[in-house]
Amino acid sequence: MTKINFDFGKPSAGGIVDLSNATVRVIPTERFRSDSRIVVREGFEVALDAKGKATVTVPPTDNTFCYEVTIGLDTDLWKFRRYVNVPDSTTAVEFADLVDVDASTLAPALNTGAALTYLLASSLQEAQAMSADHIGQMVFYPEGQAKTMASQILEDLTDARAVVEAQSAVAAQAANAAQASAAGAQEASVQAADAVRSVSEQTAQVSANAASVQSVADSISESKAVVESHANEALTAIDEAVKIVQDKAKDKTPADATADTTSQEA
């Protein structure tokens, strides 16, 4: 919503005085939407105070409608009507500053049928200020000032282009360096992968060799066990034979021993 300040006066023998208690009527030229609400074409009136001032709050216009603002009654000789656009503003706007538009096309009607008037400025800066203060009027300023300003703008654009080109060159160098770094990183990654693959293969070979050695060790252990078993059996047999001989030696009498000796002599 936008607030519009009205401020009206009238001429008098002593100058401009307040247009007290006059009536202002505001009505949209078409129905319009405000968010999801359809607002019908209905107007309202507001009375100026003793100083010829009043403030109203209305939705801003868009490209579908404008406001028809009528000041004064039919009995007032000075009654007049304006068709204006209202901007979407958080601060109050002055009714005198609103842009007049054609009620049918909504295009700006800057002259409203009056003769073309213009203002002269001594510089571009002054022309810009005058244009802001006098909407609907043409403002001219010296050609030399325009050429100087155009030359300055061209120089600024040339300098800006040089800066952009320099920055582009730096960016290109940075991009090339980044690309080279990426290529180096990729090559290093490949080399690392090859190294990992080689270590994996060597680890597999060592594991295979260890398995082979373990198999031989197991075979040797089994052979040792067999040899030890046979040796134990042989020692046991020898011990048993010696015991038998010893036992027989103990069982013989002296007479048996003499007989054996005589037998051996014969």
PDB file of all heavy atoms in Angstrom, residues 96-123:
ATOM      1  N   ALA A  96       1.416  15.708  -6.517  1.00  0.00           N
ATOM      2  CA  ALA A  96       1.947  16.562  -7.578  1.00  0.00           C
ATOM      3  C   ALA A  96       3.059  15.867  -8.360  1.00  0.00           C
ATOM      4  O   ALA A  96       3.328  16.240  -9.506  1.00  0.00           O
ATOM      5  CB  ALA A  96       2.462  17.872  -6.981  1.00  0.00           C
ATOM      6  N   ASP A  97       3.720  14.847  -7.771  1.00  0.00           N
ATOM      7  CA  ASP A  97       4.837  14.173  -8.435  1.00  0.00           C
ATOM      8  C   ASP A  97       4.412  12.942  -9.226  1.00  0.00           C
ATOM      9  O   ASP A  97       5.241  12.346  -9.919  1.00  0.00           O
ATOM     10  CB  ASP A  97       5.883  13.757  -7.387  1.00  0.00           C
ATOM     11  CG  ASP A  97       6.533  14.954  -6.718  1.00  0.00           C
ATOM     12  OD1 ASP A  97       6.544  16.030  -7.336  1.00  0.00           O
ATOM     13  OD2 ASP A  97       7.013  14.798  -5.578  1.00  0.00           O
ATOM     14  N   LEU A  98       3.149  12.529  -9.121  1.00  0.00           N
ATOM     15  CA  LEU A  98       2.711  11.332  -9.821  1.00  0.00           C
ATOM     16  C   LEU A  98       2.681  11.577 -11.332  1.00  0.00           C
ATOM     17  O   LEU A  98       2.428  12.688 -11.794  1.00  0.00           O
ATOM     18  CB  LEU A  98       1.330  10.904  -9.334  1.00  0.00           C
ATOM     19  CG  LEU A  98       1.242  10.494  -7.852  1.00  0.00           C
ATOM     20  CD1 LEU A  98      -0.191  10.105  -7.496  1.00  0.00           C
ATOM     21  CD2 LEU A  98       2.213   9.358  -7.546  1.00  0.00           C
ATOM     22  N   VAL A  99       2.939  10.494 -12.079  1.00  0.00           N
ATOM     23  CA  VAL A  99       3.009  10.588 -13.541  1.00  0.00           C
ATOM     24  C   VAL A  99       1.610  10.484 -14.135  1.00  0.00           C
ATOM     25  O   VAL A  99       0.858   9.553 -13.826  1.00  0.00           O
ATOM     26  CB  VAL A  99       3.914   9.471 -14.106  1.00  0.00           C
ATOM     27  CG1 VAL A  99       3.925   9.509 -15.632  1.00  0.00           C
ATOM     28  CG2 VAL A  99       5.325   9.600 -13.556  1.00  0.00           C
ATOM     29  N   ASP A 100       1.274  11.444 -15.008  1.00  0.00           N
ATOM     30  CA  ASP A 100       0.000  11.380 -15.718  1.00  0.00           C
ATOM     31  C   ASP A 100       0.079  10.343 -16.829  1.00  0.00           C
ATOM     32  O   ASP A 100       1.106  10.209 -17.514  1.00  0.00           O
ATOM     33  CB  ASP A 100      -0.321  12.744 -16.324  1.00  0.00           C
ATOM     34  CG  ASP A 100      -0.671  13.780 -15.265  1.00  0.00           C
ATOM     35  OD1 ASP A 100      -1.843  13.848 -14.882  1.00  0.00           O
ATOM     36  OD2 ASP A 100       0.250  14.501 -14.832  1.00  0.00           O
ATOM     37  N   VAL A 101      -1.008   9.592 -17.002  1.00  0.00           N
ATOM     38  CA  VAL A 101      -1.044   8.559 -18.038  1.00  0.00           C
ATOM     39  C   VAL A 101      -2.321   8.714 -18.844  1.00  0.00           C
ATOM     40  O   VAL A 101      -3.287   9.365 -18.416  1.00  0.00           O
ATOM     41  CB  VAL A 101      -0.981   7.139 -17.426  1.00  0.00           C
ATOM     42  CG1 VAL A 101       0.335   6.916 -16.696  1.00  0.00           C
ATOM     43  CG2 VAL A 101      -2.158   6.888 -16.495  1.00  0.00           C
ATOM     44  N   ASP A 102      -2.307   8.062 -20.015  1.00  0.00           N
ATOM     45  CA  ASP A 102      -3.511   7.998 -20.831  1.00  0.00           C
ATOM     46  C   ASP A 102      -4.440   6.949 -20.233  1.00  0.00           C
ATOM     47  O   ASP A 102      -4.017   5.813 -19.973  1.00  0.00           O
ATOM     48  CB  ASP A 102      -3.152   7.650 -22.266  1.00  0.00           C
ATOM     49  CG  ASP A 102      -4.358   7.657 -23.178  1.00  0.00           C
ATOM     50  OD1 ASP A 102      -5.061   6.628 -23.213  1.00  0.00           O
ATOM     51  OD2 ASP A 102      -4.581   8.673 -23.858  1.00  0.00           O
ATOM     52  N   ALA A 103      -5.687   7.280 -20.006  1.00  0.00           N
ATOM     53  CA  ALA A 103      -6.619   6.372 -19.342  1.00  0.00           C
ATOM     54  C   ALA A 103      -6.864   5.104 -20.139  1.00  0.00           C
ATOM     55  O   ALA A 103      -7.204   4.057 -19.577  1.00  0.00           O
ATOM     56  CB  ALA A 103      -7.939   7.080 -19.071  1.00  0.00           C
ATOM     57  N   SER A 104      -6.733   5.168 -21.474  1.00  0.00           N
ATOM     58  CA  SER A 104      -7.018   4.006 -22.322  1.00  0.00           C
ATOM     59  C   SER A 104      -5.806   3.099 -22.473  1.00  0.00           C
ATOM     60  O   SER A 104      -5.899   1.874 -22.374  1.00  0.00           O
ATOM     61  CB  SER A 104      -7.497   4.458 -23.699  1.00  0.00           C
ATOM     62  OG  SER A 104      -8.676   5.234 -23.586  1.00  0.00           O
ATOM     63  N   THR A 105      -4.643   3.707 -22.710  1.00  0.00           N
ATOM     64  CA  THR A 105      -3.427   2.917 -22.989  1.00  0.00           C
ATOM     65  C   THR A 105      -2.530   2.758 -21.777  1.00  0.00           C
ATOM     66  O   THR A 105      -1.634   1.918 -21.773  1.00  0.00           O
ATOM     67  CB  THR A 105      -2.631   3.571 -24.115  1.00  0.00           C
ATOM     68  OG1 THR A 105      -2.176   4.862 -23.678  1.00  0.00           O
ATOM     69  CG2 THR A 105      -3.485   3.741 -25.360  1.00  0.00           C
ATOM     70  N   LEU A 106      -2.737   3.580 -20.752  1.00  0.00           N
ATOM     71  CA  LEU A 106      -1.899   3.622 -19.548  1.00  0.00           C
ATOM     72  C   LEU A 106      -0.469   4.069 -19.861  1.00  0.00           C
ATOM     73  O   LEU A 106       0.424   3.954 -19.018  1.00  0.00           O
ATOM     74  CB  LEU A 106      -1.870   2.264 -18.839  1.00  0.00           C
ATOM     75  CG  LEU A 106      -3.231   1.695 -18.416  1.00  0.00           C
ATOM     76  CD1 LEU A 106      -3.054   0.371 -17.680  1.00  0.00           C
ATOM     77  CD2 LEU A 106      -3.978   2.685 -17.534  1.00  0.00           C
ATOM     78  N   ALA A 107      -0.237   4.582 -21.080  1.00  0.00           N
ATOM     79  CA  ALA A 107       1.069   5.112 -21.445  1.00  0.00           C
ATOM     80  C   ALA A 107       1.224   6.502 -20.851  1.00  0.00           C
ATOM     81  O   ALA A 107       0.239   7.237 -20.698  1.00  0.00           O
ATOM     82  CB  ALA A 107       1.213   5.158 -22.965  1.00  0.00           C
ATOM     83  N   PRO A 108       2.444   6.897 -20.504  1.00  0.00           N
ATOM     84  CA  PRO A 108       2.643   8.241 -19.941  1.00  0.00           C
ATOM     85  C   PRO A 108       2.134   9.333 -20.881  1.00  0.00           C
ATOM     86  O   PRO A 108       2.367   9.297 -22.085  1.00  0.00           O
ATOM     87  CB  PRO A 108       4.166   8.325 -19.767  1.00  0.00           C
ATOM     88  CG  PRO A 108       4.604   6.890 -19.642  1.00  0.00           C
ATOM     89  CD  PRO A 108       3.693   6.103 -20.542  1.00  0.00           C
ATOM     90  N   ALA A 109       1.429  10.275 -20.318  1.00  0.00           N
ATOM     91  CA  ALA A 109       0.938  11.425 -21.076  1.00  0.00           C
ATOM     92  C   ALA A 109       1.643  12.643 -20.510  1.00  0.00           C
ATOM     93  O   ALA A 109       1.089  13.392 -19.697  1.00  0.00           O
ATOM     94  CB  ALA A 109      -0.576  11.550 -20.951  1.00  0.00           C
ATOM     95  N   LEU A 110       2.897  12.812 -20.921  1.00  0.00           N
ATOM     96  CA  LEU A 110       3.759  13.784 -20.256  1.00  0.00           C
ATOM     97  C   LEU A 110       3.290  15.219 -20.448  1.00  0.00           C
ATOM     98  O   LEU A 110       3.394  16.045 -19.552  1.00  0.00           O
ATOM     99  CB  LEU A 110       5.197  13.618 -20.759  1.00  0.00           C
ATOM    100  CG  LEU A 110       5.823  12.245 -20.472  1.00  0.00           C
ATOM    101  CD1 LEU A 110       7.240  12.191 -21.026  1.00  0.00           C
ATOM    102  CD2 LEU A 110       5.831  11.959 -18.980  1.00  0.00           C
ATOM    103  N   ASN A 111       2.776  15.542 -21.644  1.00  0.00           N
ATOM    104  CA  ASN A 111       2.417  16.933 -21.887  1.00  0.00           C
ATOM    105  C   ASN A 111       0.946  17.226 -21.630  1.00  0.00           C
ATOM    106  O   ASN A 111       0.566  18.388 -21.510  1.00  0.00           O
ATOM    107  CB  ASN A 111       2.756  17.313 -23.339  1.00  0.00           C
ATOM    108  CG  ASN A 111       4.256  17.329 -23.552  1.00  0.00           C
ATOM    109  OD1 ASN A 111       5.000  17.745 -22.678  1.00  0.00           O
ATOM    110  ND2 ASN A 111       4.690  16.872 -24.716  1.00  0.00           N
ATOM    111  N   THR A 112       0.142  16.190 -21.588  1.00  0.00           N
ATOM    112  CA  THR A 112      -1.309  16.331 -21.374  1.00  0.00           C
ATOM    113  C   THR A 112      -1.911  17.388 -22.287  1.00  0.00           C
ATOM    114  O   THR A 112      -2.760  18.189 -21.884  1.00  0.00           O
ATOM    115  CB  THR A 112      -1.621  16.691 -19.907  1.00  0.00           C
ATOM    116  OG1 THR A 112      -1.027  17.959 -19.586  1.00  0.00           O
ATOM    117  CG2 THR A 112      -1.110  15.628 -18.972  1.00  0.00           C
ATOM    118  N   GLY A 113      -1.451  17.422 -23.545  1.00  0.00           N
ATOM    119  CA  GLY A 113      -2.021  18.330 -24.523  1.00  0.00           C
ATOM    120  C   GLY A 113      -1.443  19.726 -24.490  1.00  0.00           C
ATOM    121  O   GLY A 113      -1.796  20.566 -25.319  1.00  0.00           O
ATOM    122  N   ALA A 114      -0.531  20.028 -23.556  1.00  0.00           N
ATOM    123  CA  ALA A 114       0.038  21.369 -23.475  1.00  0.00           C
ATOM    124  C   ALA A 114       1.200  21.499 -24.441  1.00  0.00           C
ATOM    125  O   ALA A 114       1.734  20.517 -24.943  1.00  0.00           O
ATOM    126  CB  ALA A 114       0.511  21.647 -22.053  1.00  0.00           C
ATOM    127  N   ALA A 115       1.578  22.727 -24.706  1.00  0.00           N
ATOM    128  CA  ALA A 115       2.720  22.978 -25.576  1.00  0.00           C
ATOM    129  C   ALA A 115       3.987  22.467 -24.910  1.00  0.00           C
ATOM    130  O   ALA A 115       4.112  22.455 -23.676  1.00  0.00           O
ATOM    131  CB  ALA A 115       2.836  24.468 -25.865  1.00  0.00           C
ATOM    132  N   LEU A 116       4.916  22.037 -25.747  1.00  0.00           N
ATOM    133  CA  LEU A 116       6.170  21.506 -25.236  1.00  0.00           C
ATOM    134  C   LEU A 116       6.973  22.606 -24.563  1.00  0.00           C
ATOM    135  O   LEU A 116       7.173  23.684 -25.123  1.00  0.00           O
ATOM    136  CB  LEU A 116       6.983  20.903 -26.385  1.00  0.00           C
ATOM    137  CG  LEU A 116       8.384  20.399 -26.007  1.00  0.00           C
ATOM    138  CD1 LEU A 116       8.288  19.249 -25.015  1.00  0.00           C
ATOM    139  CD2 LEU A 116       9.145  19.991 -27.259  1.00  0.00           C
ATOM    140  N   THR A 117       7.406  22.339 -23.343  1.00  0.00           N
ATOM    141  CA  THR A 117       8.281  23.271 -22.634  1.00  0.00           C
ATOM    142  C   THR A 117       9.577  22.553 -22.294  1.00  0.00           C
ATOM    143  O   THR A 117       9.619  21.319 -22.226  1.00  0.00           O
ATOM    144  CB  THR A 117       7.633  23.785 -21.343  1.00  0.00           C
ATOM    145  OG1 THR A 117       7.358  22.667 -20.492  1.00  0.00           O
ATOM    146  CG2 THR A 117       6.346  24.528 -21.652  1.00  0.00           C
ATOM    147  N   TYR A 118      10.640  23.308 -22.076  1.00  0.00           N
ATOM    148  CA  TYR A 118      11.920  22.692 -21.749  1.00  0.00           C
ATOM    149  C   TYR A 118      12.685  23.595 -20.801  1.00  0.00           C
ATOM    150  O   TYR A 118      12.385  24.788 -20.643  1.00  0.00           O
ATOM    151  CB  TYR A 118      12.739  22.415 -23.016  1.00  0.00           C
ATOM    152  CG  TYR A 118      13.095  23.660 -23.810  1.00  0.00           C
ATOM    153  CD1 TYR A 118      14.267  24.351 -23.563  1.00  0.00           C
ATOM    154  CD2 TYR A 118      12.240  24.135 -24.808  1.00  0.00           C
ATOM    155  CE1 TYR A 118      14.587  25.500 -24.280  1.00  0.00           C
ATOM    156  CE2 TYR A 118      12.550  25.266 -25.532  1.00  0.00           C
ATOM    157  CZ  TYR A 118      13.733  25.945 -25.269  1.00  0.00           C
ATOM    158  OH  TYR A 118      14.038  27.067 -25.971  1.00  0.00           O
ATOM    159  N   LEU A 119      13.690  22.987 -20.175  1.00  0.00           N
ATOM    160  CA  LEU A 119      14.547  23.708 -19.239  1.00  0.00           C
ATOM    161  C   LEU A 119      15.989  23.586 -19.711  1.00  0.00           C
ATOM    162  O   LEU A 119      16.366  22.608 -20.374  1.00  0.00           O
ATOM    163  CB  LEU A 119      14.411  23.134 -17.823  1.00  0.00           C
ATOM    164  CG  LEU A 119      13.006  23.163 -17.203  1.00  0.00           C
ATOM    165  CD1 LEU A 119      12.993  22.381 -15.882  1.00  0.00           C
ATOM    166  CD2 LEU A 119      12.563  24.596 -16.969  1.00  0.00           C
ATOM    167  N   LEU A 120      16.820  24.572 -19.368  1.00  0.00           N
ATOM    168  CA  LEU A 120      18.227  24.569 -19.722  1.00  0.00           C
ATOM    169  C   LEU A 120      19.065  24.370 -18.466  1.00  0.00           C
ATOM    170  O   LEU A 120      18.807  24.985 -17.421  1.00  0.00           O
ATOM    171  CB  LEU A 120      18.620  25.878 -20.407  1.00  0.00           C
ATOM    172  CG  LEU A 120      18.021  26.113 -21.804  1.00  0.00           C
ATOM    173  CD1 LEU A 120      18.435  27.499 -22.309  1.00  0.00           C
ATOM    174  CD2 LEU A 120      18.473  25.027 -22.772  1.00  0.00           C
ATOM    175  N   ALA A 121      20.058  23.506 -18.580  1.00  0.00           N
ATOM    176  CA  ALA A 121      20.965  23.251 -17.459  1.00  0.00           C
ATOM    177  C   ALA A 121      22.388  23.544 -17.907  1.00  0.00           C
ATOM    178  O   ALA A 121      22.719  23.474 -19.095  1.00  0.00           O
ATOM    179  CB  ALA A 121      20.837  21.803 -16.987  1.00  0.00           C
ATOM    180  N   SER A 122      23.241  23.859 -16.954  1.00  0.00           N
ATOM    181  CA  SER A 122      24.625  24.190 -17.280  1.00  0.00           C
ATOM    182  C   SER A 122      25.542  22.980 -17.277  1.00  0.00           C
ATOM    183  O   SER A 122      26.684  23.047 -17.731  1.00  0.00           O
ATOM    184  CB  SER A 122      25.158  25.225 -16.281  1.00  0.00           C
ATOM    185  OG  SER A 122      25.115  24.687 -14.949  1.00  0.00           O
ATOM    186  N   SER A 123      25.056  21.842 -16.751  1.00  0.00           N
ATOM    187  CA  SER A 123      25.881  20.625 -16.692  1.00  0.00           C
ATOM    188  C   SER A 123      24.974  19.403 -16.685  1.00  0.00           C
ATOM    189  O   SER A 123      23.754  19.518 -16.474  1.00  0.00           O
ATOM    190  CB  SER A 123      26.763  20.620 -15.435  1.00  0.00           C
ATOM    191  OG  SER A 123      25.954  20.534 -14.269  1.00  0.00           O
TER     192      SER A 123
END
